Amino acid sequence: LPTEIFMKVFEDPRLYCIDVQLQGVCRRWQAMMLSTPRFWAHLIASKAIDAKKANDVDRLRKCLLRSGRVPLRVHMTIMSPDVSKDLFTHRNRLFSLSLTFNKHSDELDLHTALSSGMPKLSRLEVHLDTMAKLLPLSCPSNLIPSLQHLTLSGPLLSSSSTARSLK
């Protein structure tokens, strides 16, 4: 298969770089994947990334590095400010961000991350599981000028709210 077709097959969002095992199949696959930043730019963590587990953080950092300058689409459960810090270092490339905070997540000031500016962020989803700790969320619109979709949900909110279009 030509590289372009091969990469189209592996752009399926059900395949995610945090747990990717595909590069171990053969040298050709590994070379194609390592040389294609777009493959690494869709970060989906099916389980919480724990900063205490060096493997989890190392994989996240490798994905962020390998994704080059490509806009990022991120879906993950946050457990540690260290993980958030690694992620938000790339805030200028974030296009889509979906975060779940659970009772094991350390307190995270998402407001500070948003207030630092995310010029490409188009979609933001924040889900709070039971007993999640999240400091107040607010941000001037000029710091996230591309935001079009906002979803806040969780049992601690009076009701789940979605703003389909913010423009």
Side-chain angles (χ1 to χ4, degrees), residues 13-74:
R14 290 171 291 179
L15 300 172
Y16 39 87
C17 90
I18 298 295
D19 296 324
V20 74
Q21 302 283 324
L22 298 172
Q23 53 181 326
V25 173
C26 69
R27 288 182 188 156
R28 179 173 180 249
W29 282 27
Q30 182 180 36
M32 282 191 289
M33 293 168 86
L34 291 174
S35 65
T36 308
R38 188 177 68 235
F39 178 82
W40 304 97
H42 194 154
L43 308 174
I44 300 175
S46 57
K47 59 184 172 100
I49 296 176
D50 189 348
K52 295 176 185 122
K53 295 181 181 174
N55 259 359
D56 285 358
V57 176
D58 188 47
R59 284 187 207 157
L60 173 65
R61 288 178 179 154
K62 282 181 181 176
C63 289
L64 291 169
L65 179 67
R66 290 174 179 164
S67 66
R69 301 174 86 180
V70 176
L72 296 169
R73 298 174 192 277
V74 179

Side-chain angles (χ1 to χ4, degrees), residues 78-85 87-88 99-101 105-113 128 132-137:
I78 296 293
M79 275 197 74
S80 160
D82 294 337
V83 171
S84 302
K85 181 181 169 192
L87 179 62
F88 291 136
L99 300 175
T100 299
F101 297 90
S105 300
D106 289 333
E107 192 171 274
L108 173 69
D109 186 357
L110 185 58
H111 168 75
T112 300
L128 303 175
K133 297 180 247 175
L134 184 68
L135 298 177
L137 245 179

